[in-house]
Amino acid sequence: MQRTHYSGELTEQQIGENITLKGWVQKRRDLGGLIFVDLRDRTGLVQAVFNPAISKEALEIADKLRSEFVVEITGKVIERQERQKNPNMKTGTIEVQVDQLTIINGAKNPPFMIEDETDVSEEVRLKYRYLDLRRPQLAKTFKMRSDITKTVRNFLDTEGFLEVETPILTKSTPEGARDYLVPSRVHEGEFYALPQSPQLFKQMLMVAGFDRYYQIARCFRDEDLRADRQPEFTQIDMEMSFMSIEEIITLNENLMQKIMKDVKGIDVQIPFNRLPYDEAMSRFGSDKPDMRFGLELIDVSEIVKDSSFKVFTGAVEAGGQVKLINAKGAADGYSRKDIDALGEFSARYGAKGLAWLKVDAEGLKGPIAKFFEGEAGAALQTAAEAEVGDLLLFVADKKKVVADALGALRLKLGKDQGLIDESKFNFLWVTDWPLFEYDEEDGRYYAAHHPFTMPADVDELITSPETVKAQAYDLVLNGYELGGGSLRIYQRDVQEKMFKALGFSEEQANEQFGFLLDAFDYGTPPHGGIAFGLDRIVMLLTGSTNLRDTIAFPKTASASCLLTAAPGRVDNGQLAELGIQVAAKKQ
Amino acid sequence: MQRTHYSGELTEQQIGENITLKGWVQKRRDLGGLIFVDLRDRTGLVQAVFNPAISKEALEIADKLRSEFVVEITGKVIERQERQKNPNMKTGTIEVQVDQLTIINGAKNPPFMIEDETDVSEEVRLKYRYLDLRRPQLAKTFKMRSDITKTVRNFLDTEGFLEVETPILTKSTPEGARDYLVPSRVHEGEFYALPQSPQLFKQMLMVAGFDRYYQIARCFRDEDLRADRQPEFTQIDMEMSFMSIEEIITLNENLMQKIMKDVKGIDVQIPFNRLPYDEAMSRFGSDKPDMRFGLELIDVSEIVKDSSFKVFTGAVEAGGQVKLINAKGAADGYSRKDIDALGEFSARYGAKGLAWLKVDAEGLKGPIAKFFEGEAGAALQTAAEAEVGDLLLFVADKKKVVADALGALRLKLGKDQGLIDESKFNFLWVTDWPLFEYDEEDGRYYAAHHPFTMPADVDELITSPETVKAQAYDLVLNGYELGGGSLRIYQRDVQEKMFKALGFSEEQANEQFGFLLDAFDYGTPPHGGIAFGLDRIVMLLTGSTNLRDTIAFPKTASASCLLTAAPGRVDNGQLAELGIQVAAKKQ
């Protein structure tokens, strides 16, 4: 029989109708000669009742049912007796009086229950991913993921964007993260690389005059994985010609507003706040600050530099900084032991120590209070806007360490002290990024974003690589980087200067990116773009903290698929055909 | 300035408006002190006029313009003088009187003209793909490609399908085509494979209760490429639970009808015709017959088996066939030399010879006419429904050779004789496929579709592998396979029988497909699906014969990307990290 309805979509409107459902046995209960079964499909549950007065035969078959059996039932929708109505169940006022039951497929007892909450290890969940995905919470996540891409597509279609697929088998480029390589069978000794992003292809599409491109694009990075990284991930990737940063930002604010409205039913205000990179680092110790709460970093280097506290003066003299966070009203709540724990926490981010002061009615208290009596102490209190009951936490170190340690401490305190409104969605643009990062070890500059980013000032590219800014922008949501983009270089001479600043010889530049330089010779429009991490957007909008819950078949931290047992050994014949072998020392 | 319009979208409605356009110089003409420029963007062309009476400055700048320069112009839309109107140009009744011109980027003379027709080699086009893609015809192709996927997505969304992404880094499976492999850095000596299709993952989603899945999915096959093959290609991939073949077919007929309506504006009739595989092979010598014309194959084995023509009788005695095609009215048009050419053509498909007879008023004529005088000749004429002026073409050989040779000859004759209505879109389902193909060399059966296809009869799987049918269906359009699908096995014991029939040991089956067998233990619904080749659909609907024209950045027959020069050599350091080396003998 053909299915007439989904279980979870039945309502009192169907009362009296004969229907056919297909799905899984969630739970079975025997009571007073009747059998009750909660039947599940992807839409939810409905109760089916087997009653000997309706069908003895169906009841007999129902006696064989166990959890996760696949069944087809036909019967009549009836209203439940008043006292049996279940207000906690969407279909709790009705049930299906079954007159026909077919067992389509049996099921062994599953290794864990199909419920939202499960305490089974993630390893078991990933091995039996097909059972894990039956859990309503995950099913909901993938519905939302599908809804988000639908909204993105509809919005970008309306804005005149063309969806174009770019290659997965492409060329390895030395800049950026580590590539996944694919040996070529036809070209012995040569390799394709899986793309870290469709960057150069989307730029080529702009050269081709496509004007506005987008793609929900799979990208790959062979990096050591953290909790919020996967070897393959999905980007909402776009590129557009002839548009200014302002136009690009506005378009993407409209997109985000639409996603939030369509998927979460939430109105977010636009324009979003903006913060230059330098200010984000200085005020929040982060290039992706969570702006839902204060606890800003306050620079007191000038105030403490002449004190007699050597830790502070030493840091300033060495060219570093002293900064504090004022944990409002936290003086009483944090014991010396608690503060020691915060010190250990800061140490993970490189801080050699966490100095502190408490403010009481008589002034500053704590082990270093003696260094800040009188004017210096008053100046500190003023700078920190300190009041009685506040706890001041200091890190003195190189600029980067101060930012990292206090930035992390700020987030921790924000969470611990309940300062974060978890219902808020706070979007923020971080702008004016540095164009380069200097690598001490390699003794050279690397592109902070990528080597195709337009500098704010072309001359400074050569004259002041350490301070030149990029025409780049990142979008941050609640302290997570959703994505970023930039205007791109579209003139050959500027791109050549860029490669030079990165230490490429002319030959290297031509070998790796000759086709790009050539393309600039044939009428390239100004263009720019952006890419958002779809997996991370889904994670944030579903309120999850586990990126793997947003990917149907994710990989573990060691890049394995526990379901299919990938990667795996292959036939030597396959390797021979590819002209490669596993290196002897590694076998 | 911000762009106000696209060139090709300007109409007489904008007459009098001041507008700003951005685009490329298609052509420049100097005439009577004025400069005329055709300005191109992705929507088309409009004429811009530089007139010293409007702006001397703009005219001076315009004097520098050459083809493919990128410019911004501001000016007023005016109606052209009557005699200057160009009915061959969409915007031919108007022009833009320019008062401001900015050259945004220059351009060297391109290696070929940006026009629909180009006689430059495909190699040059692919190397400068960013210029090739500027050609209006290709731009139109990618617009249509985007429109097709949009229609597919909207249709499947409405039908309750969920779009889910499946992994690109997955496990190598020995059945099927050759895999692209990706060495794992973390798991030394192990490899991922790029998916030939999302087959097992979509089945897992059905086990997970997702009910209806789709994906516009990238797939990979490391096969030697033909004109209509690419190493990576895109499938419209779906899978659904609890649906019969009839329901799946109807749903996909509705989808195809919608694509044809939305994208081509053509109403196609549903239901489509259906043909069992055996009948398709016997009547058309093809498993994907072009049904827009007749020229069916006629089996005359019974008639000729007792003749004295040894070629025919020998073929029948050896278990083969003798079949003919009646090329209606072709007797006069085909000289002996022409027929010899047809014979050479058939030889490419394995035919050892092409026998022929012409029909004139006196009867059969030709070298073999003497063998078919009297009754046998009359019977042949009756079977072939031969009339005066017809040409009968015979192949006598093994069944497969007869089908291949006459099937190909049928297509050639259909084209040569102009029997095909090129404006027709003829959809056809081919059903009742064999489950297995026997490989003489390996001495074993292979799955004709894939090893997860439901047999029509489970017992025959073991008892009659040579004749057992599959619950499979292919959709054919004008002689091209658009895609195919099947109901899948969803019971462990049936799947185990299938692996056994394929010669797998229990251990092999478990090592390769253990997770699938396990999944069947936990409540798997009946399910089936289909996948269509998107590239091929685009090719057929754009009327192209070159699959590469449907892919933005395609690869050549040797799987190279001429734009980026992929694949390429990589650093030895990269290989060392992966624990592989290029095999000595191949270096």
Side-chain angles (χ1 to χ4, degrees):
Chain A
M1 294 253 250
Q2 220 166 315
R3 168 169 52 196
T4 59
H5 295 80
Y6 283 99
S7 304
E9 291 175 357
L10 287 173
T11 66
E12 294 179 21
Q13 288 219 304
Q14 279 79 42
I15 288 172
E17 283 183 34
N18 281 304
I19 62 162
T20 296
L21 303 175
K22 305 189 183 198
W24 286 259
V25 173
Q26 172 76 15
K27 207 161 57 179
R28 164 195 168 173
R29 292 178 309 283
D30 296 27
L31 198 71
L34 308 182
I35 294 178
F36 295 86
V37 162
D38 282 350
L39 186 72
R40 189 191 68 235
D41 61 28
R42 75 170 194 201
T43 62
L45 300 170
V46 74
Q47 178 166 285
V49 191
F50 297 87
N51 186 334
I54 302 297
S55 167
K56 265 198 181 137
E57 205 187 332
L59 183 74
E60 266 165 39
I61 303 174
D63 194 38
K64 297 177 192 148
L65 294 181
R66 290 190 303 178
S67 285
E68 302 308 317
F69 271 43
V70 183
V71 299
E72 172 183 326
I73 64 169
T74 296
K76 191 191 278 184
V77 180
I78 57 172
E79 190 173 1
R80 291 200 204 181
Q81 290 182 342
E82 208 54 45
R83 64 198 179 94
Q84 287 171 353
K85 289 189 177 171
N86 179 353
N88 298 322
M89 191 175 177
K90 200 174 149 250
T91 59
T93 60
I94 53 167
E95 60 192 9
V96 183
Q97 202 174 49
V98 182
D99 45 43
Q100 268 184 62
L101 166 66
T102 310
I103 295 178
I104 299 177
N105 216 342
K108 293 206 293 197
N109 211 18
F112 52 92
M113 291 304 293
I114 310 303
E115 291 170 350
D116 269 347
E117 299 300 321
T118 174
D119 56 0
V120 77
S121 74
E122 193 177 11
E123 204 176 327
V124 173
R125 286 175 44 205
L126 291 178
K127 180 167 155 61
Y128 297 95
R129 187 64 164 175
Y130 46 86
L131 297 178
D132 195 30
L133 289 172
R134 283 185 195 167
R135 293 165 54 228
Q137 191 184 297
L138 281 193
K140 242 179 274 168
T141 298
F142 290 96
K143 177 75 172 66
M144 189 187 282
R145 187 175 172 118
S146 181
D147 287 345
I148 291 172
T149 54
K150 203 188 304 179
T151 290
V152 169
R153 289 199 163 96
N154 289 342
F155 176 86
L156 293 176
D157 283 346
T158 310
E159 293 286 338
F161 283 73
L162 210 61
E163 188 181 9
V164 182
E165 294 178 71
T166 56
I168 297 289
L169 291 171
T170 176
K171 190 182 179 178
S172 183
T173 56
E175 296 295 286
R178 202 185 282 113
D179 283 325
Y180 277 105
L181 296 181
V182 182
S184 160
R185 179 176 55 85
V186 182
H187 305 273
E188 292 172 5
E190 299 189 359
F191 293 80
Y192 305 94
L194 305 185
Q196 296 181 28
S197 90
Q199 185 60 35
L200 289 173
F201 289 108
K202 66 180 180 172
Q203 291 193 237
M204 289 298 111
L205 290 175
M206 295 303 104
V207 182
F210 276 46
D211 203 70
R212 297 184 173 197
Y213 141 96
Y214 85 96
Q215 186 180 193
I216 311 287
R218 202 72 61 84
C219 305
F220 305 85
R221 280 182 205 169
D222 185 10
E223 295 296 324
D224 297 316
L225 305 179
R226 301 187 312 235
D228 65 343
R229 284 261 184 94
Q230 281 280 307
E232 51 182 306
F233 56 98
T234 303
Q235 273 184 196
I236 302 170
D237 191 52
M238 14 180 157
E239 194 78 9
M240 46 221 114
S241 294
F242 301 115
M243 279 174 81
S244 66
I245 288 190
E246 287 304 321
E247 292 170 84
I248 294 172
I249 281 183
T250 300
L251 181 120
N252 281 285
E253 286 176 344
N254 289 330
L255 169 62
M256 286 299 151
Q257 193 180 44
K258 186 141 179 51
I259 292 175
M260 293 304 293
K261 184 70 187 169
D262 285 5
V263 175
K264 299 288 289 183
I266 291 175
D267 290 301
V268 294
Q269 291 299 312
I270 57 172
F272 300 152
N273 285 325
R274 296 191 201 177
L275 219 48
Y277 170 87
D278 287 342
E279 188 180 341
M281 291 306 292
S282 123
R283 287 173 55 194
F284 303 97
S286 169
D287 57 10
K288 41 179 188 286
D290 188 338
M291 304 273 285
R292 289 174 299 176
F293 66 104
L295 283 186
E296 296 193 18
L297 282 54
I298 299 162
D299 191 340
V300 293
S301 308
E302 279 303 311
I303 299 173
V304 303
K305 74 172 199 289
D306 299 320
S307 74
S308 48
F309 183 41
K310 294 294 172 218
V311 172
F312 283 5
T313 55
V316 177
E317 277 159 23
Q321 294 179 324
V322 182
K323 286 189 161 189
L324 67 80
I325 288 177
N326 179 354
K328 298 297 294 179
D332 285 349
Y334 282 78
S335 69
R336 198 169 278 245
K337 203 174 141 195
D338 293 336
I339 297 174
D340 285 348
L342 294 181
E344 279 160 33
F345 175 84
S346 312
R348 277 188 246 151
Y349 296 87
K352 286 184 286 288
L354 183 72
W356 57 273
L357 287 169
K358 286 183 176 177
V359 188
D360 72 7
E362 290 152 25
L364 299 171
K365 289 285 151 65
I368 65 164
K370 58 179 181 253
F371 301 113
F372 300 102
E373 286 163 356
E375 249 179 68
L380 267 185
Q381 286 193 59
T382 306
E385 297 180 18
E387 298 168 307
V388 171
D390 289 355
L391 168 65
L392 309 183
L393 297 161
F394 298 80
V395 172
D397 214 309
K398 281 187 224 162
K399 201 170 160 185
K400 185 175 169 357
V401 173
V402 172
D404 287 354
L406 281 183
L409 192 63
R410 172 179 176 268
L411 278 182
K412 182 177 169 48
L413 288 171
K415 274 174 205 149
D416 291 354
Q417 295 196 275
L419 304 178
I420 303 176
D421 178 352
E422 295 288 352
S423 72
K424 256 198 197 163
F425 288 89
N426 189 305
F427 289 90
L428 168 76
W429 291 105
V430 176
T431 62
D432 302 292
W433 288 75
L435 187 65
F436 295 114
E437 279 167 3
Y438 189 75
D439 187 293
E440 305 271 353
E441 225 166 276
D442 296 359
R444 58 160 276 202
Y445 285 100
Y446 281 92
H449 196 64
H450 56 54
F452 319 109
T453 306
M454 180 73 90
D457 184 307
V458 174
D459 293 329
E460 284 182 17
L461 187 59
I462 300 297
T463 57
S464 329
E466 67 286 358
T467 55
V468 62
K469 297 291 181 195
Q471 298 202 42
Y473 34 84
D474 269 21
L475 185 60
V476 174
L477 171 59
N478 293 350
Y480 286 89
E481 181 203 330
L482 286 192
S486 63
L487 297 190
R488 326 298 187 188
I489 297 169
Y490 63 95
Q491 294 119 322
R492 185 178 187 122
D493 61 329
V494 180
Q495 188 66 65
E496 282 171 344
K497 274 184 194 156
M498 182 62 159
F499 287 139
K500 199 172 163 192
L502 291 169
F504 281 47
S505 71
E506 212 180 300
E507 199 194 335
Q508 282 172 320
N510 277 320
E511 197 193 313
Q512 285 299 330
F513 300 110
F515 68 98
L516 178 73
L517 294 170
D518 285 347
F520 289 159
D521 281 342
Y522 292 105
T524 295
H527 58 285
I530 197 163
F532 297 110
L534 175 62
D535 313 307
R536 196 169 288 169
I537 291 177
V538 175
M539 186 179 91
L540 289 169
L541 298 199
T542 54
S544 172
T545 52
N546 185 346
L547 202 73
R548 288 182 291 279
D549 280 350
T550 71
I551 295 173
F553 302 100
K555 299 208 166 51
T556 63
S558 68
S560 298
C561 171
L562 298 182
L563 172 64
T564 60
R569 300 257 160 203
V570 297
D571 283 357
N572 282 329
Q574 280 175 279
L575 298 185
E577 267 198 307
L578 295 174
I580 61 167
Q581 51 195 27
V582 175
K585 66 178 170 62
K586 295 242 178 181
Q587 263 174 330
Chain B
M1 296 253 248
Q2 220 166 316
R3 169 168 53 197
T4 60
H5 293 80
Y6 283 100
S7 304
E9 290 175 359
L10 288 173
T11 66
E12 293 178 24
Q13 286 219 306
Q14 278 80 41
I15 287 172
E17 282 183 36
N18 280 305
I19 61 163
T20 296
L21 303 175
K22 305 189 183 197
W24 286 260
V25 173
Q26 173 76 17
K27 208 162 58 180
R28 164 193 168 176
R29 292 178 309 283
D30 296 27
L31 199 70
L34 308 183
I35 295 178
F36 295 86
V37 162
D38 282 349
L39 186 73
R40 188 191 68 234
D41 62 28
R42 77 171 193 201
T43 63
L45 300 170
V46 73
Q47 177 165 288
V49 192
F50 297 87
N51 186 334
I54 304 295
S55 167
K56 263 197 185 138
E57 203 188 335
L59 183 75
E60 265 165 39
I61 304 173
D63 193 39
K64 295 177 195 149
L65 293 181
R66 291 190 304 178
S67 284
E68 301 309 318
F69 270 41
V70 183
V71 298
E72 173 183 326
I73 65 169
T74 296
K76 190 190 280 184
V77 180
I78 57 172
E79 190 174 359
R80 292 201 204 180
Q81 291 182 340
E82 208 53 45
R83 65 198 176 94
Q84 287 171 353
K85 290 190 177 171
N86 180 352
N88 299 321
M89 191 174 178
K90 200 174 148 253
T91 60
T93 60
I94 54 167
E95 60 193 7
V96 183
Q97 204 173 47
V98 182
D99 45 43
Q100 267 184 62
L101 166 66
T102 309
I103 295 177
I104 298 177
N105 216 342
K108 293 206 294 197
N109 212 18
F112 53 90
M113 291 304 294
I114 310 303
E115 292 170 347
D116 268 348
E117 297 302 321
T118 173
D119 56 0
V120 77
S121 73
E122 194 177 11
E123 205 176 326
V124 173
R125 286 176 45 206
L126 291 177
K127 179 167 157 56
Y128 297 95
R129 187 63 164 178
Y130 46 87
L131 297 179
D132 196 30
L133 290 171
R134 284 185 194 167
R135 292 166 55 227
Q137 191 184 297
L138 281 192
K140 241 179 274 168
T141 298
F142 290 95
K143 176 75 173 65
M144 188 187 283
R145 188 176 172 117
S146 182
D147 287 346
I148 291 172
T149 54
K150 202 188 304 179
T151 290
V152 169
R153 289 199 162 96
N154 289 342
F155 176 86
L156 293 175
D157 282 347
T158 310
E159 292 286 336
F161 283 73
L162 210 61
E163 188 180 10
V164 183
E165 294 179 70
T166 56
I168 298 289
L169 291 170
T170 176
K171 192 182 177 178
S172 184
T173 55
E175 295 295 285
R178 200 186 283 112
D179 282 324
Y180 278 104
L181 296 181
V182 183
S184 161
R185 179 177 54 85
V186 182
H187 304 274
E188 293 172 5
E190 298 190 357
F191 293 81
Y192 304 95
L194 305 184
Q196 296 181 28
S197 91
Q199 185 60 35
L200 289 172
F201 290 107
K202 66 179 180 171
Q203 291 193 239
M204 289 298 110
L205 290 174
M206 295 303 103
V207 181
F210 275 46
D211 204 69
R212 295 184 175 197
Y213 141 95
Y214 85 95
Q215 187 180 194
I216 311 287
R218 202 72 63 85
C219 304
F220 305 84
R221 280 182 204 168
D222 186 10
E223 293 297 325
D224 298 314
L225 305 180
R226 300 187 314 233
D228 65 344
R229 285 262 185 93
Q230 282 279 308
E232 52 182 308
F233 55 98
T234 303
Q235 272 184 197
I236 302 169
D237 191 52
M238 15 180 156
E239 194 79 7
M240 45 222 114
S241 294
F242 301 116
M243 279 174 81
S244 65
I245 287 191
E246 287 305 321
E247 291 170 84
I248 294 172
I249 281 184
T250 301
L251 182 121
N252 282 285
E253 286 176 344
N254 288 329
L255 169 62
M256 287 297 151
Q257 194 180 44
K258 185 139 180 50
I259 291 175
M260 293 304 293
K261 183 72 188 171
D262 285 5
V263 175
K264 299 286 289 183
I266 291 174
D267 289 302
V268 293
Q269 291 300 312
I270 55 173
F272 300 151
N273 285 325
R274 296 191 202 178
L275 217 48
Y277 169 87
D278 287 342
E279 190 181 338
M281 291 305 292
S282 121
R283 286 175 54 196
F284 302 97
S286 168
D287 56 12
K288 40 181 188 287
D290 187 338
M291 304 273 284
R292 291 175 296 176
F293 65 104
L295 283 186
E296 296 192 19
L297 281 53
I298 298 161
D299 191 342
V300 292
S301 308
E302 279 304 310
I303 298 171
V304 304
K305 74 176 200 294
D306 299 319
S307 75
S308 48
F309 185 41
K310 293 296 171 215
V311 172
F312 284 5
T313 54
V316 178
E317 275 158 25
Q321 293 179 324
V322 181
K323 285 189 162 188
L324 67 81
I325 287 177
N326 179 354
K328 297 297 293 179
D332 285 347
Y334 282 78
S335 67
R336 198 170 278 243
K337 202 174 141 197
D338 294 334
I339 298 173
D340 285 348
L342 294 181
E344 280 160 34
F345 175 84
S346 312
R348 278 187 246 151
Y349 297 86
K352 286 183 288 287
L354 183 72
W356 58 273
L357 287 169
K358 287 184 176 178
V359 188
D360 72 8
E362 292 151 27
L364 299 172
K365 289 283 152 66
I368 65 164
K370 59 179 180 252
F371 301 112
F372 300 100
E373 288 164 353
E375 250 179 69
L380 267 185
Q381 287 194 58
T382 306
E385 297 181 19
E387 296 168 309
V388 170
D390 289 356
L391 168 64
L392 308 183
L393 298 161
F394 297 79
V395 172
D397 215 307
K398 280 187 225 163
K399 200 171 160 186
K400 186 174 169 351
V401 173
V402 172
D404 288 352
L406 282 183
L409 193 63
R410 173 180 175 268
L411 279 182
K412 182 175 168 50
L413 288 171
K415 276 174 206 149
D416 291 353
Q417 296 195 276
L419 302 178
I420 304 176
D421 179 352
E422 295 289 352
S423 72
K424 255 198 197 162
F425 288 89
N426 189 304
F427 289 90
L428 168 76
W429 290 105
V430 177
T431 61
D432 302 293
W433 288 74
L435 188 64
F436 296 113
E437 279 167 4
Y438 189 75
D439 187 294
E440 303 272 352
E441 226 167 274
D442 296 359
R444 58 160 277 204
Y445 285 100
Y446 281 91
H449 196 64
H450 56 55
F452 319 109
T453 306
M454 181 73 92
D457 184 306
V458 174
D459 293 328
E460 284 183 16
L461 187 59
I462 301 297
T463 58
S464 329
E466 67 286 358
T467 56
V468 62
K469 296 292 179 193
Q471 298 202 41
Y473 32 84
D474 268 21
L475 185 59
V476 174
L477 171 58
N478 293 351
Y480 287 88
E481 182 202 330
L482 286 192
S486 63
L487 296 189
R488 326 298 187 187
I489 296 168
Y490 62 96
Q491 294 119 322
R492 184 177 187 123
D493 60 329
V494 179
Q495 189 66 65
E496 282 172 343
K497 273 183 195 156
M498 182 62 158
F499 287 138
K500 199 172 162 193
L502 291 170
F504 282 46
S505 71
E506 214 181 300
E507 198 194 335
Q508 282 172 319
N510 277 321
E511 196 193 311
Q512 285 298 330
F513 302 109
F515 68 98
L516 177 73
L517 294 169
D518 285 348
F520 290 159
D521 281 341
Y522 292 105
T524 295
H527 58 285
I530 198 163
F532 297 109
L534 176 61
D535 313 308
R536 197 169 289 170
I537 291 177
V538 175
M539 186 178 91
L540 290 170
L541 297 199
T542 53
S544 172
T545 51
N546 185 346
L547 203 73
R548 289 182 291 277
D549 281 348
T550 71
I551 294 172
F553 301 100
K555 299 208 167 51
T556 64
S558 67
S560 298
C561 172
L562 298 183
L563 172 65
T564 60
R569 299 260 160 201
V570 298
D571 282 357
N572 282 329
Q574 279 175 281
L575 298 186
E577 268 198 305
L578 296 174
I580 61 167
Q581 53 194 34
V582 175
K585 68 180 168 66
K586 293 241 177 181
Q587 266 174 326

